Amino acid sequence: MKKHFFATAIGLLLSSAALFAQWPGEIDSTSYMFDADGSFTRIAVDMEDVKAKIITINPLNDDVIWRKTVIRAIDLRERQNWSLYYPYENIDSLSQKNLFAIIFKTLLEGNVKGYLIPSDKLTPPPCIAKYEYDVQKDMVERLFGGDEDYANDYKKIEFITQGIIKYYIQEVWYFDKHSSMMRSAILSIAPVYNKAYNETYDPAGEVDEGVMCWIPFERLRPYLQVEFMKTTGRNVNPVVDFDNFFADRQFDSYIIKDYDVRGTLLDDEKKYSDPNRIRQEQERIENEILNVELDMWHY
């Protein structure tokens, strides 16, 4: 038993010595755990492997006995949503990124496609070719042209990201009788920018908003799973990936559209000029969703 133990120990020491002999003398082994800003060192992953492990719940039509679709606004000026906005400086391929950096980079590389109906920017269009958003033509060339200062994708991202003030998400809530559970799924997401592209972030300022494009959320999920955020300023060790952040609903949001019979748009000033009336409608819809599971016997 002792001989076996010592033989194993000696083998480990020899293999470790061989490994250390291959390292350049000036490299500190701790750099393989932490990067320059003290975050955990990023590990390269195969995106196809990430896509293969994603589990999507697809209930049968007959099992869905209640369903409601809404559009929510995630305001980046709210403290709970700061993890989606920061950092907006010194972003590169190896650094921590904000949500817009992830989305815009995937659009630039063609890994995901965005869609937009010019006449109705709030409602996500169907994923068909004629509604595809040409990020190069519609944004990059218009903003930067041939400006050499913005040849790098991350320089473009740093210029635009401070003007991203909100995100819209289209989500569906449904009751699955097979599992007897209320579930939700995000269908699509859209960055909302300040049309003036003001480089200074004014938390209290009123801005003219514009939807950049809508991206099918399921296609974006693999790229959200490999990027991590800091969710608190007190202890930055408990990091979470962006996909789980949305799955756990750690964001703060409010409803701006209800896909009811009328297709109610809550921020329509002609219908809801009183802010109190808007809040009442938002609370009514939220309560309707929350109470469905308790009142399911009515359906």
Side-chain angles (χ1 to χ4, degrees), residues 241-252:
D241 66 72
F242 282 81
D243 188 42
N244 277 316
F245 180 86
F246 280 101
D248 295 340
R249 305 188 64 78
Q250 297 185 44
F251 54 86
D252 181 63

